[in-house]
Amino acid sequence: MPMPIPISTPPLLEARGLTKFYGDRLGCRDVSFDIREGEVLAIVGESGSGKSTLLSLLSGQLPASAGEVLYRTRAGEIRDLAALSEAERRFLFRTDWGFVHQDAARGLRMGVSAGGNVGERLMAVGARSYGAIRAKAEDWLDRVEIDPTRIDEPPTAYSGGMRQRLQIARNLVTAPRLVFMDEPTGGLDVSVQARLLDLVRRLVADMGLAVIVVTHDLAVARLLSHRIMVMKQGRVIEEGLTDRVLDDPRAAYTQLLVSSILQP
Amino acid sequence: MNAPLSPQTAPAATGYNFAYLDEQTKRMIRRALLKAVAIPGHQVPFAARDMPMPYGWGTGGIQVTAAILGSGDVLKVIDQGADDTTNAVSIRAFFQKTANVAVTTRTAEATVIQTRHRIPEKPLKAGQTLVFQVPIPEPLRFLEPRETETRVMHALADYGLMHVKLYEDIAKHGHIAKTYAYPVEVEGRYVMDPSPIPKFDNPKLSMSPALQLFGAGREKRIYALPPFTRVKSLDFEDHPFEPTRFEAPCALCGATDSYLDEVVTDDRGTRMFVCSDTDHCEERRADGHRGLLAGDDLVDTITREADVERDDGAPIVPLP
Ligand SMILES: Nc1ncnc2c1ncn2[C@@H]1O[C@H](COP(=O)(O)OP(=O)(O)OP(=O)(O)O)[C@@H](O)[C@H]1O
Ligand SMILES: [Mg+2]
Ligand SMILES: [Zn+2]
């Protein structure tokens, strides 16, 4: 587990009583937590426990049935996400936030070159020098361990691991403060996973990012996160520092998860 | 369009309302036009009518022209710069028949100019209206096929994707490869498709004293550039927009500053470059300008390639 973040800094994002119903079906219920810059929070739980629902609520992509998400902007204002205009929300999304999807095709433009993928956010916020955009894209490809000479290839020519690293470059190029990741290592070989996790860990530390990562893989949580939230049937049943939760789980369900996954 | 508008009493062909469309429809189109003029570069939906010709003929432009035409107007119709192609001749004949308006081939004399794929070389004046035929009004279409999404992108001026396209061009070809329908930004706000005019014409869009109206029939959209609107062709600082330049002058009139078409001069495939704007070329020759090949018989025998392809593959059929 990485070094814990001192709690004296004010939260970057705060969730209060977040609840989502899809009609009658519960997505998640009464979720509250906060996260600070430099902190990685893992959300774990079985399939259908509400992890993706929670991520969509936190990133303002889905309206909550109840509760609120407060976000501290770069200007230092605390804003209720539900009260943001669509323009403000999109602006946050292309500057201050990143979203790494499990399925690279959802997070990348598969018909656009790697350089265009990385450069898109820069252009969206007004970059108009081709040379500077390209130089920055090359730098970011290098930082995510993609050979910069492959800058003009589309993601379809990349391996699964490379695609995930490209997604990360595309998201981090505007130096966001908060990155959401939904199963970023899902579907990758173990060795490819390890390399990706190592990269994410370094970038998080270098850039002081706050990361909310959804995973069903406790090993991923162990390696990346400072804190863990365990979800079951839409509720948070246990929360705490990663080592504490994994080494000394309190909820029976967490004990089951830990014993079934970490100790074969 | 400077003449009083409907109802019209001009002796048009029997069986038609003045300029073919009924007054109700014209009012609807004019409302859309007013909105379009008020929000330069913004696409306004309108309830396009079926016209007695296929979409590839420029039914959007024809409806706009029909809605603004008054009995005192002088109409010019060009297709790729020429007044004498089948398409231009038919549209001109259509309005002569249905509105009985005066027609001309002289840019300077026209009050309304309907055009497909060109802006006349002679600078337009205040009081003139240029009506463009538009096949695809949405500049983001090939980048983002979902209309709900492109609408939001316009609303929020979320145009990063437009530059991604230009970035890809430079990465692939070393320069921005688009040579026509080159996207523009209007008054620093809306990104607009100027219709498939050559990028050579893009600079003429900006700060024109004339009113410029764009009609897309199949897609049911109208947009506009009121006089003296700033229009900027999208580019990068280090890859600035450059209008097409031609190596040689027009073979007929010697013009060095006009858009040239390659034309076949005989059945052995001999080619030369001549002004695409036929009125401009003729006027220059009448004024005594001569290009290298300016034998006068030659002019009548050239085959205009411009006449061959359509925007949408619609067959070229004469009007009934
Ligand atoms: N769009 C939707 N409409 C209706 N119900 C939904 C919708 N999305 C999710 N749900 C339901 O909400 C609950 C939580 O789903 P969610 O996708 O958040 O779980 P998850 O923890 O991300 O699961 P997984 O690990 O399989 O991705 C499930 O019961 C699911 O069926
Ligand atoms: Mg999920
Ligand atoms: Zn000429």
Side-chain angles (χ1 to χ4, degrees):
Chain A
M1 186 191 83
M3 286 294 289
I5 301 299
I7 45 180
S8 52
T9 44
L12 182 61
L13 177 139
E14 268 186 86
R16 293 286 166 260
L18 270 187
T19 300
K20 177 71 187 177
F21 281 97
Y22 299 99
D24 286 343
R25 185 181 299 142
L26 179 65
C28 67
R29 177 161 228 162
D30 201 22
V31 179
S32 300
F33 69 92
D34 48 36
I35 184 167
R36 290 169 168 71
E37 278 132 316
E39 192 173 31
V40 180
L41 172 71
I43 302 173
V44 303
E46 65 193 357
S47 181
S49 59
K51 307 182 296 291
S52 296
T53 299
L54 182 57
L55 217 50
S56 300
L57 296 177
L58 293 173
S59 56
Q61 294 175 299
L62 207 60
S65 310
E68 59 181 6
V69 182
L70 301 176
Y71 183 70
R72 178 164 50 80
T73 65
R74 281 185 204 239
E77 289 177 308
I78 310 288
R79 299 289 307 269
D80 176 355
L81 284 193
L84 292 184
S85 67
E86 175 69 10
E88 290 174 312
R89 203 181 68 80
R90 284 192 180 216
F91 186 73
L92 270 188
F93 241 103
R94 63 191 185 211
T95 55
D96 225 15
W97 290 358
F99 204 115
V100 177
H101 296 268
Q102 171 173 359
D103 177 10
R106 280 187 63 198
L108 294 173
R109 293 192 188 280
M110 300 304 277
V112 167
S113 71
N117 267 289
V118 178
E120 179 171 351
R121 276 171 165 240
L122 297 172
M123 293 181 248
V125 295
R128 291 293 177 265
S129 159
Y130 174 82
I133 293 164
R134 200 167 167 84
K136 203 144 188 195
E138 279 171 344
D139 178 45
W140 265 100
L141 290 180
D142 193 42
R143 287 176 75 171
V144 299
E145 299 164 11
I146 293 173
D147 176 359
T149 63
R150 299 189 65 175
I151 187 170
D152 293 329
E153 295 175 30
T156 45
Y158 282 9
S159 71
M162 287 170 78
R163 288 179 193 182
Q164 290 311 69
R165 296 202 299 275
L166 181 59
Q167 262 203 91
I168 288 166
R170 171 178 159 85
N171 277 283
L172 297 193
V173 68
T174 52
R177 296 189 301 161
L178 175 61
V179 178
F180 302 97
M181 299 185 179
D182 197 351
E183 303 278 8
T185 57
L188 298 178
D189 290 351
V190 179
S191 65
V192 178
Q193 273 193 26
R195 184 173 173 197
L196 185 69
L197 290 173
D198 195 48
L199 174 75
V200 171
R201 224 153 64 122
R202 260 191 295 116
L203 290 172
V204 165
D206 287 353
M207 299 178 76
L209 292 174
V211 176
I212 301 178
V213 56
V214 159
T215 178
H216 66 272
D217 186 344
L218 293 187
V220 169
R222 165 88 82 187
L223 213 63
L224 276 188
S225 71
H226 302 95
R227 281 192 297 143
I228 288 187
M229 249 169 46
V230 183
M231 295 189 69
K232 185 175 185 239
Q233 291 168 357
R235 292 167 186 274
V236 176
I237 56 155
E238 180 156 5
E239 201 214 328
L241 292 178
T242 299
D243 286 348
R244 204 282 295 152
V245 173
L246 295 183
D247 297 339
D248 178 22
R250 291 179 191 160
Y253 174 74
T254 316
Q255 291 167 4
L256 195 71
L257 265 188
V258 170
S259 63
S260 65
I261 295 169
L262 290 187
Q263 287 116 40
Chain B
M1 102 160 262
N2 304 309
L5 290 172
S6 55
Q8 296 296 340
T9 50
T14 47
Y16 293 114
N17 190 39
F18 179 80
Y20 186 79
L21 292 176
D22 63 87
E23 295 306 308
Q24 202 56 35
T25 300
K26 287 192 216 168
R27 265 199 290 278
M28 175 273 293
I29 295 173
R30 286 176 205 145
R31 271 196 298 271
L33 286 169
L34 285 174
K35 186 168 177 188
V37 166
I39 315 171
H42 170 62
Q43 298 167 51
V44 180
F46 79 112
R49 292 290 188 264
D50 283 333
M51 298 299 283
M53 55 204 80
Y55 285 123
W57 276 81
T59 56
I62 292 168
Q63 288 176 80
V64 169
T65 299
I68 64 170
L69 218 49
S71 55
D73 272 315
V74 181
L75 177 68
K76 170 181 165 78
V77 182
I78 48 173
D79 178 6
Q80 310 240 22
D83 298 81
D84 57 1
T85 66
T86 322
N87 196 350
V89 169
S90 303
I91 294 172
R92 198 162 58 229
F94 174 78
F95 283 115
Q96 277 181 298
K97 187 170 162 191
T98 61
N100 196 28
V101 288
V103 296
T104 183
T105 59
R106 312 296 299 267
T107 298
E109 287 168 11
T111 57
V112 175
I113 303 170
Q114 180 169 328
T115 178
R116 172 176 178 269
H117 296 195
R118 277 310 313 276
I119 297 176
E121 305 293 359
K122 185 185 276 299
L124 299 177
K125 300 171 300 196
Q128 291 185 303
T129 301
L130 190 56
V131 178
F132 294 80
Q133 302 171 196
V134 180
I136 297 165
E138 179 49 73
L140 303 166
R141 172 71 45 86
F142 296 108
L143 302 165
E144 174 54 71
R146 290 168 301 170
E147 157 121 29
T148 45
E149 181 60 18
T150 54
R151 222 178 295 163
V152 175
M153 291 163 80
H154 283 296
L156 303 176
D158 188 356
Y159 292 129
L161 207 48
M162 215 62 240
H163 273 89
V164 172
K165 175 74 179 62
L166 300 182
Y167 170 97
E168 291 289 288
D169 258 19
I170 302 173
K172 256 193 215 103
H173 309 287
H175 60 97
I176 299 173
K178 207 152 177 55
T179 54
Y180 66 94
Y182 190 107
V184 295
E185 183 190 78
V186 178
E187 285 290 342
R189 179 58 182 87
Y190 286 96
V191 167
M192 187 189 98
D193 185 322
S195 88
I197 57 173
K199 68 173 181 173
F200 176 90
D201 283 341
N202 272 26
K204 299 178 195 163
L205 293 163
S206 190
M207 299 306 279
S208 171
L211 170 64
Q212 302 175 83
L213 305 175
F214 299 78
R218 182 177 30 205
E219 307 242 352
K220 305 184 185 353
R221 290 288 184 283
I222 281 172
Y223 49 101
L225 298 171
F228 301 106
T229 301
R230 266 184 302 121
V231 177
K232 185 184 180 311
S233 302
L234 298 183
D235 62 2
F236 289 101
E237 291 152 12
D238 43 354
H239 285 265
F241 170 81
E242 291 206 27
T244 312
R245 268 187 250 290
F246 295 92
E247 318 253 295
C250 167
L252 298 178
C253 76
T256 53
D257 56 357
S258 67
Y259 187 78
L260 304 181
D261 278 340
E262 191 177 19
V263 297
V264 179
T265 53
D266 57 30
D267 53 11
R268 293 183 314 265
T270 310
R271 280 153 190 273
M272 64 175 184
F273 286 93
V274 299
C275 292
S276 114
D277 183 336
T278 49
D279 169 62
H280 181 69
C281 199
E282 276 157 28
E283 193 176 305
R284 282 181 50 86
R285 275 179 281 136
D287 289 347
H289 296 283
R290 285 287 179 275
L292 286 175
L293 298 173
D296 275 359
D297 338 328
L298 202 55
V299 181
D300 300 327
T301 60
I302 60 179
T303 314
R304 291 210 152 260
E305 301 211 317
D307 211 3
V308 180
E309 29 97 41
R310 297 245 69 84
D311 304 327
D312 59 353
I316 298 174
V317 284
L319 273 174

